[in-house]
Amino acid sequence: MGTVTEPGHLASSPPPPERGQVPSRPGEATEPLMRQRQSPDAVKLVVLGGASEGLERGLTQALSVGADPVCDLQLGDRGISRKHAEFCLRDGRVWVRDLGSRNGTFLHGVRVTEAELSLGAVVQLGETAIGVYPRWHIREVDPSERQRFGQLCARSLAMRHVFAILERVAQSVATVLVEGESGTGKELVARSLHEASPRAHKPYVVFDCTTVTKELAESELFGHVKGAFSGAVADRDGAFRQADGGTIFLDEIGELPLDLQPKLLRVLESGEVRRVGDSQRRKVDVRIVAATNRDLHAEARRGRFRSDLLYRLSVVCVQVPPLRARPEDIALLTERLLDGQLAPGSRIEGQNLERLMGYSFPGNVRELRNVLTRAVALAPRRDGYVRFDDLVLNLASDVSSPSSLGYHFPGVDVHLPYKDAKQRLIAQFDDEYVQALMRRNGGNISRAAKAANLSRKHVYALLRRAEVDPDDEA
C-alpha cells in the first residue's frame, strides 16, 4: 500500500514526559540528537502501550520490530505484521521505516513509510505505542487507565500520561507548572487538579497575568492597605490572601512583569505575603499552579524571566499536547461538547467526524468548541432535533496546515525524483481515499461507487491496488 513519507520532525507536539519527574522544556525534547550532541548509544525504544508494554531496547544500530521471533523487538500484538518496522540511527538522528506492514506505521496520526523522530516522539504500530527516549530516561509511572480527570477527557496515550501525573500530584502541595499552546485547556488542568485535591472545598482563585496593568499587578496579587497609593481608599486582600487554604492559578505566568517576579519568588519561598504599603508580612497557605504558552527557559536565557523563579515554579511540569497531536481524542471531546444537544441516537461518526479529525485545529480544544457551538446554532432541525450528520462544520481548511504542524506537506518526499515522488503521492491518495470511502459507506461497493461517482470496476481496482479485501471493509 502506498504511504506517506514525512521528512523532518514535529517539533511542536511532543508527548508529555512521564509523571513524577521534571520534564524537558518545550523545544528541548524535540531537538535532533545531533543538535543535542548525544552519543549514539544514548537512545532507547520504550513500549508505552499494548500487550508488550514495558519492554525496552537500546538503539545502537538498526532494530527490527514485529511479531516474528527473529525481530529484535518482538511484540505480542495481533495488529502487528511479522516484520512491521525498523528503527535506526543515521548521522546521530533517529529514523523509523515501515517494512511494508499491513496496518501501517503512524507518527502523530500520520501514516509514514519513513520519518525522522525526535526525542519524546511516539510511533504507533497496531495497538502498540513505542516512544523514543534518552537512554538515561526512567519510566517511573504508567499512563493512567482512566479517560477522565476532573473536567478533562481523552483517550490518547499522550493525555493519559498527563492524567497520570495529575492523579499523583493532586494529593500533594507541590507547585505545578502547566505548559501548552493556547486553547489546550491549561485552566481546566488547574481547576481539575484543585477539585481532586484535599483543598477542593477551599478557595480556587485565578490570577490572569495578561489582564492586569503593570502598575496594579502587585496590589492585585498581594493586596494593599488604605492610603498605600492614590485610589487605595480601603484595605484590600490580594489574590494570595483570597486563596488562603486553597489554590491559586497564575495564568500566563510568562507575562508577569519582570520587576514583580522577585516578590513572587519571595512569597513562594517564605509562604508570607506583604501588602503594598504594609510593614508586616502574613502567612498564607496556598497551593500554586501556574500556566504558560511560552518557552520559559528560552525567556530566561533572554533575560525576560527569572531563572530562579522558573525553577521554583517547575517542581512538577505538565505539558498539555496540542489537539493536532492527538486526533484520537476528537471523537470523545466532540461527544462531550455536544452532550445533550443532539437528537437521541445521533452518533459522532461519518464524514463530519472525518473532517474534524483531518483538521489541524490551531486553536486547539477552544477552537473545536467554537466550531461545534456555531454549527449547532445554525443547524437545521428535524422534528425539533439536531443531528450530527446535519451539522455544517465551518473549518478554515479540511486539511491540516503543514506550517502549523511544523513540517512540510507529508505526502511529498523530496529525496525522490519528481516522477517517483508524484507517483507515490498519488498512490497514497488513492489508498487513503478508497479506504475512507468504504468505511463511510459501510463496505457496500455499489453505494461507495455511487458516492464517489466511479464505476464499481474502478472501485474494485482501487481496492486491489490498496491491497484491501472488500470483505474486510464490510
Side-chain angles (χ1 to χ4, degrees):
M1 179 180 294
T3 51
V4 177
T5 298
E6 184 184 23
H9 58 276
L10 302 183
S12 59
S13 55
E18 306 298 341
R19 177 177 60 186
Q21 55 184 284
V22 179
S24 301
R25 303 294 169 263
E28 290 183 354
T30 58
E31 291 185 8
L33 302 182
M34 181 182 296
R35 294 181 195 167
Q36 296 189 21
R37 302 179 186 275
Q38 301 266 358
S39 59
D41 60 353
V43 186
K44 67 178 178 180
L45 304 181
V46 181
V47 180
L48 302 174
S52 302
E53 182 173 349
L55 287 179
E56 296 186 7
R57 293 290 186 275
L59 185 61
T60 57
Q61 55 187 0
L63 189 150
S64 58
V65 180
D68 196 314
V70 304
C71 289
D72 301 307
L73 179 56
Q74 183 186 5
L75 300 175
D77 181 344
R78 291 193 300 178
I80 296 288
S81 298
R82 291 182 63 81
K83 293 183 179 179
H84 197 107
E86 180 183 76
F87 292 79
C88 68
L89 286 167
R90 290 188 217 148
D91 299 323
R93 296 170 180 259
V94 182
W95 290 78
V96 63
R97 179 169 64 93
D98 187 84
L99 298 177
S101 66
R102 179 174 178 81
N103 293 326
T105 299
F106 292 83
L107 176 63
H108 297 291
V110 179
R111 187 168 183 169
V112 298
T113 52
E114 187 174 46
E116 182 185 342
L117 305 176
S118 56
L119 288 180
V122 176
V123 178
Q124 192 75 30
L125 315 176
E127 297 298 320
T128 300
I130 298 179
V132 179
Y133 291 106
R135 194 67 174 265
W136 44 259
H137 175 89
I138 300 175
R139 190 179 182 209
E140 297 180 333
V141 184
D142 293 334
S144 175
E145 295 296 325
R146 301 189 181 111
Q147 295 187 1
R148 286 181 180 270
F149 180 83
Q151 301 179 44
L152 300 162
C153 64
R155 59 170 57 100
S156 65
L157 180 68
M159 283 302 293
R160 287 193 291 111
H161 274 284
V162 172
F163 293 172
I165 297 172
L166 299 177
E167 288 165 3
R168 287 285 180 92
V169 303
Q171 301 306 310
S172 74
V173 294
T175 302
V176 177
L177 178 63
V178 186
E179 300 172 316
E181 296 178 7
S182 295
T184 51
K186 298 188 292 295
E187 201 276 335
L188 276 184
V189 170
R191 186 177 294 276
S192 297
L193 191 60
H194 171 74
E195 292 173 351
S197 75
R199 298 169 178 259
H201 300 295
K202 297 293 185 177
Y204 173 77
V205 176
V206 177
F207 183 84
D208 189 342
C209 299
T210 64
T211 60
V212 181
T213 63
K214 181 178 179 180
E215 292 73 22
L216 293 178
E218 184 176 2
S219 170
E220 293 291 326
L221 200 55
F222 306 128
H224 63 256
V225 297
K226 180 179 178 180
F229 52 84
S230 176
V233 297
D235 290 354
R236 184 177 187 277
D237 286 337
F240 268 92
R241 292 283 298 276
Q242 295 167 18
D244 194 19
T247 302
I248 185 170
F249 175 52
L250 304 175
D251 197 12
E252 298 305 341
I253 188 67
E255 307 295 332
L256 190 69
L258 191 60
D259 57 357
L260 191 56
Q261 292 177 21
K263 298 178 181 180
L264 174 59
L265 177 62
R266 194 174 301 117
V267 173
L268 297 184
E269 291 180 337
S270 67
E272 295 179 339
V273 170
R274 185 173 67 84
R275 296 181 295 179
V276 177
D278 199 349
S279 60
Q280 294 186 351
R281 299 181 180 275
R282 302 194 183 192
K283 279 283 186 183
V284 288
D285 174 22
V286 177
R287 204 272 177 81
I288 295 144
V289 181
T292 181
N293 62 7
R294 292 190 177 196
D295 180 348
L296 293 186
H297 274 250
E299 293 294 285
R301 288 193 295 270
R302 299 184 187 108
R304 298 174 186 168
F305 198 85
R306 289 182 62 103
S307 58
D308 48 2
L309 176 58
L310 172 57
Y311 293 128
R312 186 61 183 80
L313 288 170
S314 57
V315 176
V316 177
C317 281
V318 176
Q319 289 177 300
V320 185
L323 188 55
R324 62 180 174 272
R326 48 189 181 98
E328 62 269 42
D329 288 338
I330 289 177
L332 184 62
L333 288 168
T334 300
E335 183 178 354
R336 179 170 181 181
L337 292 170
L338 294 179
D339 185 35
Q341 301 185 64
L342 298 178
S346 182
R347 299 172 65 95
I348 309 299
E349 60 185 15
Q351 189 171 7
N352 267 347
L353 179 58
E354 290 179 10
R355 289 191 62 203
L356 291 175
M357 293 183 68
Y359 179 58
S360 65
F361 284 104
N364 293 294
V365 180
R366 182 184 295 126
E367 184 181 6
L368 174 62
R369 179 187 294 110
N370 292 342
V371 166
L372 295 174
T373 300
R374 180 171 58 243
V376 169
L378 299 176
R381 263 65 176 173
R382 288 195 246 166
D383 302 324
Y385 290 110
V386 173
R387 290 167 175 77
F388 185 67
D389 289 345
D390 294 336
L391 297 182
V392 177
L393 303 174
N394 187 11
L395 303 174
S397 170
D398 285 333
V399 180
S400 298
S401 168
S403 60
S404 68
L405 292 174
Y407 62 94
H408 298 297
F409 181 65
V412 177
D413 185 355
V414 296
H415 301 291
L416 294 175
Y418 169 81
K419 183 178 179 181
D420 294 341
K422 182 179 179 180
Q423 288 176 344
R424 174 175 284 185
L425 179 59
I426 292 172
Q428 164 65 16
F429 170 80
D430 286 348
D431 292 351
E432 298 292 340
Y433 180 86
V434 74
Q435 291 181 72
L437 178 69
M438 294 300 290
R439 286 195 299 270
R440 192 161 55 246
N441 290 280
N444 186 298
I445 295 284
S446 298
R447 197 161 66 225
K450 183 177 180 180
N453 197 24
L454 297 171
S455 67
R456 284 169 52 90
K457 183 177 179 181
H458 196 162
V459 173
Y460 270 116
L462 289 174
L463 289 170
R464 281 195 299 272
R465 281 201 294 271
E467 299 178 359
V468 174
D469 186 340
D471 291 336
D472 291 341
E473 297 294 318

PDB file of all heavy atoms in Angstrom, residues 92 149 162 170 183 188 193 209 250 272 287 290 304 319 323 335 356 358 361 371 385 401 407 420:
ATOM      1  N   GLY A  92      23.552  10.352  13.748  1.00  0.00           N
ATOM      2  CA  GLY A  92      23.127  10.838  15.046  1.00  0.00           C
ATOM      3  C   GLY A  92      21.660  11.168  15.145  1.00  0.00           C
ATOM      4  O   GLY A  92      21.204  11.711  16.146  1.00  0.00           O
ATOM      5  N   PHE A 149     -10.063  12.995  33.888  1.00  0.00           N
ATOM      6  CA  PHE A 149      -9.520  13.530  35.128  1.00  0.00           C
ATOM      7  C   PHE A 149     -10.246  14.838  35.373  1.00  0.00           C
ATOM      8  O   PHE A 149     -10.034  15.822  34.645  1.00  0.00           O
ATOM      9  CB  PHE A 149      -8.016  13.760  35.063  1.00  0.00           C
ATOM     10  CG  PHE A 149      -7.455  14.316  36.350  1.00  0.00           C
ATOM     11  CD1 PHE A 149      -7.146  13.471  37.395  1.00  0.00           C
ATOM     12  CD2 PHE A 149      -7.281  15.679  36.513  1.00  0.00           C
ATOM     13  CE1 PHE A 149      -6.659  13.979  38.599  1.00  0.00           C
ATOM     14  CE2 PHE A 149      -6.796  16.198  37.704  1.00  0.00           C
ATOM     15  CZ  PHE A 149      -6.486  15.343  38.747  1.00  0.00           C
ATOM     16  N   VAL A 162      -0.609  12.699  30.976  1.00  0.00           N
ATOM     17  CA  VAL A 162      -0.946  13.897  31.747  1.00  0.00           C
ATOM     18  C   VAL A 162      -1.825  13.528  32.932  1.00  0.00           C
ATOM     19  O   VAL A 162      -1.604  13.972  34.072  1.00  0.00           O
ATOM     20  CB  VAL A 162      -1.646  14.932  30.842  1.00  0.00           C
ATOM     21  CG1 VAL A 162      -2.168  16.098  31.669  1.00  0.00           C
ATOM     22  CG2 VAL A 162      -0.692  15.451  29.773  1.00  0.00           C
ATOM     23  N   ALA A 170      -2.069  15.503  42.724  1.00  0.00           N
ATOM     24  CA  ALA A 170      -3.265  16.132  43.285  1.00  0.00           C
ATOM     25  C   ALA A 170      -3.261  16.080  44.812  1.00  0.00           C
ATOM     26  O   ALA A 170      -3.720  17.018  45.477  1.00  0.00           O
ATOM     27  CB  ALA A 170      -4.517  15.466  42.731  1.00  0.00           C
ATOM     28  N   GLY A 183      -5.482  27.439  24.203  1.00  0.00           N
ATOM     29  CA  GLY A 183      -6.660  26.652  23.841  1.00  0.00           C
ATOM     30  C   GLY A 183      -6.567  25.175  24.154  1.00  0.00           C
ATOM     31  O   GLY A 183      -7.505  24.422  23.869  1.00  0.00           O
ATOM     32  N   LEU A 188      -8.340  24.279  32.698  1.00  0.00           N
ATOM     33  CA  LEU A 188      -9.080  23.083  33.122  1.00  0.00           C
ATOM     34  C   LEU A 188      -8.184  22.125  33.885  1.00  0.00           C
ATOM     35  O   LEU A 188      -8.628  21.451  34.817  1.00  0.00           O
ATOM     36  CB  LEU A 188      -9.679  22.368  31.910  1.00  0.00           C
ATOM     37  CG  LEU A 188     -11.015  22.880  31.385  1.00  0.00           C
ATOM     38  CD1 LEU A 188     -11.501  21.992  30.250  1.00  0.00           C
ATOM     39  CD2 LEU A 188     -12.053  22.946  32.484  1.00  0.00           C
ATOM     40  N   LEU A 193      -7.180  19.791  38.926  1.00  0.00           N
ATOM     41  CA  LEU A 193      -6.190  19.451  39.947  1.00  0.00           C
ATOM     42  C   LEU A 193      -6.672  19.909  41.324  1.00  0.00           C
ATOM     43  O   LEU A 193      -6.574  19.177  42.322  1.00  0.00           O
ATOM     44  CB  LEU A 193      -4.855  20.108  39.597  1.00  0.00           C
ATOM     45  CG  LEU A 193      -3.617  19.682  40.367  1.00  0.00           C
ATOM     46  CD1 LEU A 193      -3.349  18.198  40.205  1.00  0.00           C
ATOM     47  CD2 LEU A 193      -2.411  20.486  39.886  1.00  0.00           C
ATOM     48  N   CYS A 209      -2.253  36.928  34.462  1.00  0.00           N
ATOM     49  CA  CYS A 209      -1.151  37.893  34.382  1.00  0.00           C
ATOM     50  C   CYS A 209      -1.244  38.792  33.153  1.00  0.00           C
ATOM     51  O   CYS A 209      -0.512  39.789  33.070  1.00  0.00           O
ATOM     52  CB  CYS A 209       0.187  37.150  34.377  1.00  0.00           C
ATOM     53  SG  CYS A 209       0.476  36.165  35.870  1.00  0.00           S
ATOM     54  N   LEU A 250      -1.991  30.881  38.563  1.00  0.00           N
ATOM     55  CA  LEU A 250      -1.328  32.018  37.923  1.00  0.00           C
ATOM     56  C   LEU A 250      -1.288  31.761  36.421  1.00  0.00           C
ATOM     57  O   LEU A 250      -0.389  31.089  35.908  1.00  0.00           O
ATOM     58  CB  LEU A 250       0.089  32.182  38.493  1.00  0.00           C
ATOM     59  CG  LEU A 250       0.173  32.350  40.016  1.00  0.00           C
ATOM     60  CD1 LEU A 250       1.629  32.370  40.465  1.00  0.00           C
ATOM     61  CD2 LEU A 250      -0.554  33.616  40.455  1.00  0.00           C
ATOM     62  N   GLU A 272       4.899  33.834  52.889  1.00  0.00           N
ATOM     63  CA  GLU A 272       4.427  35.053  53.524  1.00  0.00           C
ATOM     64  C   GLU A 272       4.143  36.124  52.474  1.00  0.00           C
ATOM     65  O   GLU A 272       4.864  36.236  51.478  1.00  0.00           O
ATOM     66  CB  GLU A 272       5.470  35.581  54.509  1.00  0.00           C
ATOM     67  CG  GLU A 272       5.717  34.649  55.687  1.00  0.00           C
ATOM     68  CD  GLU A 272       6.777  35.197  56.620  1.00  0.00           C
ATOM     69  OE1 GLU A 272       7.590  36.056  56.179  1.00  0.00           O
ATOM     70  OE2 GLU A 272       6.800  34.769  57.784  1.00  0.00           O
ATOM     71  N   ARG A 287      -1.681  26.545  47.585  1.00  0.00           N
ATOM     72  CA  ARG A 287      -1.097  25.632  46.587  1.00  0.00           C
ATOM     73  C   ARG A 287      -1.039  26.394  45.259  1.00  0.00           C
ATOM     74  O   ARG A 287      -2.035  26.974  44.817  1.00  0.00           O
ATOM     75  CB  ARG A 287      -1.982  24.392  46.441  1.00  0.00           C
ATOM     76  CG  ARG A 287      -1.252  23.144  45.912  1.00  0.00           C
ATOM     77  CD  ARG A 287      -1.207  23.028  44.442  1.00  0.00           C
ATOM     78  NE  ARG A 287      -0.456  21.879  43.999  1.00  0.00           N
ATOM     79  CZ  ARG A 287      -0.932  20.621  43.950  1.00  0.00           C
ATOM     80  NH1 ARG A 287      -2.148  20.343  44.369  1.00  0.00           N
ATOM     81  NH2 ARG A 287      -0.168  19.648  43.489  1.00  0.00           N
ATOM     82  N   ALA A 290       0.740  27.218  38.057  1.00  0.00           N
ATOM     83  CA  ALA A 290       0.999  28.265  37.066  1.00  0.00           C
ATOM     84  C   ALA A 290       0.895  27.675  35.672  1.00  0.00           C
ATOM     85  O   ALA A 290       1.049  26.459  35.485  1.00  0.00           O
ATOM     86  CB  ALA A 290       2.380  28.875  37.273  1.00  0.00           C
ATOM     87  N   ARG A 304      14.192  37.686  30.127  1.00  0.00           N
ATOM     88  CA  ARG A 304      12.817  38.168  30.259  1.00  0.00           C
ATOM     89  C   ARG A 304      12.055  37.454  31.366  1.00  0.00           C
ATOM     90  O   ARG A 304      10.922  37.827  31.681  1.00  0.00           O
ATOM     91  CB  ARG A 304      12.069  37.978  28.931  1.00  0.00           C
ATOM     92  CG  ARG A 304      12.658  38.749  27.774  1.00  0.00           C
ATOM     93  CD  ARG A 304      11.960  38.405  26.491  1.00  0.00           C
ATOM     94  NE  ARG A 304      12.596  39.034  25.335  1.00  0.00           N
ATOM     95  CZ  ARG A 304      12.330  38.712  24.077  1.00  0.00           C
ATOM     96  NH1 ARG A 304      11.440  37.774  23.805  1.00  0.00           N
ATOM     97  NH2 ARG A 304      12.960  39.328  23.088  1.00  0.00           N
ATOM     98  N   GLN A 319       2.991  19.003  30.528  1.00  0.00           N
ATOM     99  CA  GLN A 319       2.900  19.538  29.168  1.00  0.00           C
ATOM    100  C   GLN A 319       1.628  19.009  28.519  1.00  0.00           C
ATOM    101  O   GLN A 319       1.471  17.799  28.336  1.00  0.00           O
ATOM    102  CB  GLN A 319       4.124  19.132  28.349  1.00  0.00           C
ATOM    103  CG  GLN A 319       5.395  19.838  28.774  1.00  0.00           C
ATOM    104  CD  GLN A 319       6.595  19.356  27.982  1.00  0.00           C
ATOM    105  OE1 GLN A 319       6.951  18.184  28.002  1.00  0.00           O
ATOM    106  NE2 GLN A 319       7.227  20.277  27.277  1.00  0.00           N
ATOM    107  N   LEU A 323      -4.071  19.635  20.194  1.00  0.00           N
ATOM    108  CA  LEU A 323      -5.097  18.705  19.704  1.00  0.00           C
ATOM    109  C   LEU A 323      -4.654  17.995  18.436  1.00  0.00           C
ATOM    110  O   LEU A 323      -5.004  16.837  18.207  1.00  0.00           O
ATOM    111  CB  LEU A 323      -6.407  19.467  19.472  1.00  0.00           C
ATOM    112  CG  LEU A 323      -7.638  18.627  19.142  1.00  0.00           C
ATOM    113  CD1 LEU A 323      -7.887  17.558  20.203  1.00  0.00           C
ATOM    114  CD2 LEU A 323      -8.860  19.522  18.994  1.00  0.00           C
ATOM    115  N   GLU A 335     -18.152  14.380  21.483  1.00  0.00           N
ATOM    116  CA  GLU A 335     -19.292  13.786  22.185  1.00  0.00           C
ATOM    117  C   GLU A 335     -19.591  14.533  23.475  1.00  0.00           C
ATOM    118  O   GLU A 335     -20.751  14.806  23.797  1.00  0.00           O
ATOM    119  CB  GLU A 335     -18.992  12.316  22.480  1.00  0.00           C
ATOM    120  CG  GLU A 335     -20.129  11.576  23.147  1.00  0.00           C
ATOM    121  CD  GLU A 335     -19.810  10.115  23.377  1.00  0.00           C
ATOM    122  OE1 GLU A 335     -18.755   9.655  22.915  1.00  0.00           O
ATOM    123  OE2 GLU A 335     -20.613   9.432  24.032  1.00  0.00           O
ATOM    124  N   LEU A 356     -13.383  16.662  11.030  1.00  0.00           N
ATOM    125  CA  LEU A 356     -12.800  17.171  12.267  1.00  0.00           C
ATOM    126  C   LEU A 356     -11.427  16.556  12.520  1.00  0.00           C
ATOM    127  O   LEU A 356     -10.484  17.249  12.914  1.00  0.00           O
ATOM    128  CB  LEU A 356     -13.729  16.870  13.449  1.00  0.00           C
ATOM    129  CG  LEU A 356     -15.051  17.639  13.494  1.00  0.00           C
ATOM    130  CD1 LEU A 356     -15.910  17.135  14.646  1.00  0.00           C
ATOM    131  CD2 LEU A 356     -14.815  19.133  13.625  1.00  0.00           C
ATOM    132  N   GLY A 358      -9.364  15.444  10.373  1.00  0.00           N
ATOM    133  CA  GLY A 358      -8.402  15.827   9.353  1.00  0.00           C
ATOM    134  C   GLY A 358      -7.968  17.282   9.424  1.00  0.00           C
ATOM    135  O   GLY A 358      -7.163  17.731   8.618  1.00  0.00           O
ATOM    136  N   PHE A 361      -6.655  22.242  13.773  1.00  0.00           N
ATOM    137  CA  PHE A 361      -7.092  22.961  14.971  1.00  0.00           C
ATOM    138  C   PHE A 361      -5.978  23.793  15.596  1.00  0.00           C
ATOM    139  O   PHE A 361      -5.511  23.507  16.707  1.00  0.00           O
ATOM    140  CB  PHE A 361      -7.677  21.988  16.004  1.00  0.00           C
ATOM    141  CG  PHE A 361      -9.053  21.513  15.654  1.00  0.00           C
ATOM    142  CD1 PHE A 361      -9.238  20.232  15.155  1.00  0.00           C
ATOM    143  CD2 PHE A 361     -10.149  22.348  15.786  1.00  0.00           C
ATOM    144  CE1 PHE A 361     -10.499  19.797  14.791  1.00  0.00           C
ATOM    145  CE2 PHE A 361     -11.421  21.918  15.438  1.00  0.00           C
ATOM    146  CZ  PHE A 361     -11.596  20.637  14.935  1.00  0.00           C
ATOM    147  N   VAL A 371     -16.276  25.797  16.930  1.00  0.00           N
ATOM    148  CA  VAL A 371     -16.779  25.237  15.671  1.00  0.00           C
ATOM    149  C   VAL A 371     -18.086  24.495  15.916  1.00  0.00           C
ATOM    150  O   VAL A 371     -19.079  24.659  15.170  1.00  0.00           O
ATOM    151  CB  VAL A 371     -15.727  24.297  15.047  1.00  0.00           C
ATOM    152  CG1 VAL A 371     -16.350  23.438  13.940  1.00  0.00           C
ATOM    153  CG2 VAL A 371     -14.567  25.096  14.475  1.00  0.00           C
ATOM    154  N   TYR A 385     -35.049  18.450  16.526  1.00  0.00           N
ATOM    155  CA  TYR A 385     -33.747  17.946  16.953  1.00  0.00           C
ATOM    156  C   TYR A 385     -32.661  18.280  15.934  1.00  0.00           C
ATOM    157  O   TYR A 385     -32.941  18.461  14.744  1.00  0.00           O
ATOM    158  CB  TYR A 385     -33.788  16.430  17.149  1.00  0.00           C
ATOM    159  CG  TYR A 385     -34.596  15.969  18.338  1.00  0.00           C
ATOM    160  CD1 TYR A 385     -35.801  15.314  18.168  1.00  0.00           C
ATOM    161  CD2 TYR A 385     -34.128  16.187  19.628  1.00  0.00           C
ATOM    162  CE1 TYR A 385     -36.544  14.882  19.259  1.00  0.00           C
ATOM    163  CE2 TYR A 385     -34.864  15.754  20.727  1.00  0.00           C
ATOM    164  CZ  TYR A 385     -36.063  15.106  20.540  1.00  0.00           C
ATOM    165  OH  TYR A 385     -36.779  14.680  21.621  1.00  0.00           O
ATOM    166  N   SER A 401      -2.891  22.193   8.269  1.00  0.00           N
ATOM    167  CA  SER A 401      -1.898  23.115   7.723  1.00  0.00           C
ATOM    168  C   SER A 401      -0.497  22.617   8.012  1.00  0.00           C
ATOM    169  O   SER A 401      -0.117  22.473   9.166  1.00  0.00           O
ATOM    170  CB  SER A 401      -2.091  24.497   8.342  1.00  0.00           C
ATOM    171  OG  SER A 401      -1.013  25.321   8.055  1.00  0.00           O
ATOM    172  N   TYR A 407       6.089  20.830   9.837  1.00  0.00           N
ATOM    173  CA  TYR A 407       6.814  20.034   8.861  1.00  0.00           C
ATOM    174  C   TYR A 407       6.222  20.275   7.486  1.00  0.00           C
ATOM    175  O   TYR A 407       5.137  20.806   7.345  1.00  0.00           O
ATOM    176  CB  TYR A 407       6.759  18.540   9.207  1.00  0.00           C
ATOM    177  CG  TYR A 407       5.376  17.927   9.215  1.00  0.00           C
ATOM    178  CD1 TYR A 407       4.866  17.291   8.093  1.00  0.00           C
ATOM    179  CD2 TYR A 407       4.586  17.978  10.354  1.00  0.00           C
ATOM    180  CE1 TYR A 407       3.615  16.723   8.098  1.00  0.00           C
ATOM    181  CE2 TYR A 407       3.330  17.407  10.370  1.00  0.00           C
ATOM    182  CZ  TYR A 407       2.848  16.781   9.246  1.00  0.00           C
ATOM    183  OH  TYR A 407       1.604  16.219   9.266  1.00  0.00           O
ATOM    184  N   ASP A 420       8.886   9.911  -9.390  1.00  0.00           N
ATOM    185  CA  ASP A 420       8.638   8.906  -8.364  1.00  0.00           C
ATOM    186  C   ASP A 420       7.882   9.485  -7.176  1.00  0.00           C
ATOM    187  O   ASP A 420       6.983   8.847  -6.616  1.00  0.00           O
ATOM    188  CB  ASP A 420       9.963   8.306  -7.888  1.00  0.00           C
ATOM    189  CG  ASP A 420      10.668   7.516  -8.981  1.00  0.00           C
ATOM    190  OD1 ASP A 420       9.981   7.128  -9.957  1.00  0.00           O
ATOM    191  OD2 ASP A 420      11.890   7.292  -8.873  1.00  0.00           O
TER     192      ASP A 420
END
